[in-house]
Amino acid sequence: MRASPGILLNTPRIEIWPGGLLHARSNRDARLLARARHVLRRKRDGRYLAADLREGLQPLLPSLRHEPGIDDALAALRRVHERRRTGIDVVATLPLQRLRERLQALGLDDGYGERSGLPLVPEPDWLALAGFDRYRRPLWLHVDAARAWAHLREAALRDGVLLEAISGYRSHDYQLGIFERKLARGLSVDEILTVNAAPGYSEHHGGRALDIGTPGEPPAEESFERTPAFAWLCDHAAEYGFGMSYPRDNPYGIVYEPWHWAHAPG
C-alpha cells in the first residue's frame, strides 16, 4: 500500500494516522506532529504513541517498545514505506480480538449477538478519508462508502439539500468508551443498549455507517425525520447504496434512528 494523506491504517490496538490531521497536546508534540509523516495513536484512549519522521520513528512515550500491539503497528508502517506501487490494496478485516473481554467489561456474554440479532462487525484494515464531519473531525469510512457518500452529498446539494456527517467509523475500543462514559453518567447497560450496539456489533465498526445531519438540526435526534434532508434521503439514498438501518419497531431493540444510514457492500 502506498503512503497517502487520505488513508488511516488500522491494526487491532493501534491506528496509524497520516500526518497533519491530529491536534497536538503539548509544545513538544506540536513540533513533532508538524513534521510527522504518520502518527501512531492508541485506539483505547487516543494517546499518541510515536511520530514517524523522515529520520526515523520518534517515541512520544518512554515505554513504546512494551506497548501492546506495537509490533503489528510497526509492521503496518513498514509496509507503507516498503511498497511503492500505485493503487490501493483490497480492504481486509482485522481479527475479532478481545471481543469477549469487551463484552465481559459490560456484564454481557457471548450470547449477546444471538439475542439481539445483530451481526459481528470486524474493523477494516484501512479506511479512506471522506472529508470532515460537522465538528471538523476527519471522517473515516470504508473506501466504497467514502465514494458513495461523496456522490450522495453532491446529489443532495444539487437539489438544494445540505447533508452533514455527524460520525462515521468507530473502533471496537471507541464503542466501549461510549458505554463507559454513559455508565459514568448513571445510565445502565440495558438503557445504553437501546441506543448503542455493544462493542463488536455496531455498523460503525465496518466503516460503512454514517450518522447524518443537516445544518440547524441537533445531532442524532428523532426530529431529523421532519427535515427536508431526511425526506431527500428517503427518496434518493438507495440510488447510492444507502439504507436506514434502524426504522421504527426494528427487530434489534434499537430505538428509531432516522439519522443512521449504512452503505451496503456492492
Side-chain angles (χ1 to χ4, degrees):
M1 183 181 295
R2 62 188 174 92
S4 166
I7 289 176
L8 173 68
L9 294 176
N10 199 15
T11 70
R13 294 177 182 265
I14 296 170
E15 298 169 342
I16 301 172
W17 285 58
L21 291 178
L22 291 168
H23 298 294
R25 301 173 185 179
S26 70
N27 289 336
R28 175 176 178 269
D29 286 357
R31 291 191 295 272
L32 289 173
L33 266 59
R35 298 191 295 119
R37 296 180 295 181
H38 303 91
V39 178
L40 277 63
R41 183 175 182 263
R42 185 192 290 152
K43 293 164 75 169
R44 176 170 53 82
D45 58 6
R47 175 73 184 269
Y48 302 160
L49 302 176
D52 170 37
L53 310 176
R54 293 196 177 277
E55 59 267 33
L57 195 68
Q58 175 63 52
L60 295 173
L61 76 173
S63 57
L64 180 65
R65 64 184 179 186
H66 302 299
E67 180 70 24
I70 190 63
D71 290 341
D72 288 337
L74 293 179
L77 190 60
R78 284 195 294 272
R79 289 195 294 272
V80 171
H81 299 317
E82 290 169 359
R83 301 175 68 170
R84 299 303 182 196
R85 64 180 178 81
T86 59
I88 302 297
D89 288 350
V90 172
V91 179
T93 56
L94 299 182
L96 290 164
Q97 295 183 346
R98 298 186 296 125
L99 176 61
R100 180 172 296 174
E101 172 188 324
R102 295 186 184 98
L103 293 177
Q104 288 178 344
L106 300 173
L108 299 172
D109 58 32
D110 296 343
Y112 166 79
E114 183 176 349
R115 292 193 302 273
S116 67
L118 293 168
L120 277 169
V121 183
E123 300 175 27
D125 64 348
W126 67 274
L127 297 114
L129 183 64
F132 296 85
D133 67 18
R134 171 182 287 187
Y135 309 104
R136 300 307 300 164
R137 300 173 301 193
L139 176 68
W140 298 109
L141 293 173
H142 186 288
V143 63
D144 295 339
R147 294 191 189 106
W149 166 243
H151 295 317
L152 178 77
R153 197 166 184 267
E154 290 164 4
L157 198 56
R158 288 195 296 269
D159 289 340
V161 173
L162 180 57
L163 302 177
E164 294 179 320
I166 303 300
S167 67
Y169 161 75
R170 299 177 196 156
S171 70
H172 295 175
D173 280 328
Y174 187 93
Q175 193 78 0
L176 178 59
I178 290 175
F179 275 76
E180 291 172 339
R181 289 188 291 275
K182 290 187 176 183
L183 287 168
R185 297 204 304 266
L187 294 175
S188 69
V189 170
D190 286 342
E191 288 173 321
I192 302 168
L193 286 172
T194 66
V195 181
N196 299 107
Y201 293 87
S202 170
E203 287 187 323
H204 286 282
H205 298 326
R208 291 185 177 274
L210 276 163
D211 290 341
I212 299 176
T214 196
E217 181 66 23
E221 293 288 344
E222 192 172 310
S223 58
F224 179 65
E225 72 171 357
R226 297 191 290 273
T227 65
F230 179 74
W232 190 93
L233 286 167
C234 290
D235 289 339
H236 300 286
E239 300 168 23
Y240 301 89
F242 284 92
M244 185 170 52
S245 300
Y246 306 117
R248 295 187 190 278
D249 302 318
N250 64 78
Y252 309 112
I254 303 289
V255 297
Y256 173 47
E257 295 191 353
W259 60 85
H260 180 107
W261 296 74
H263 181 260

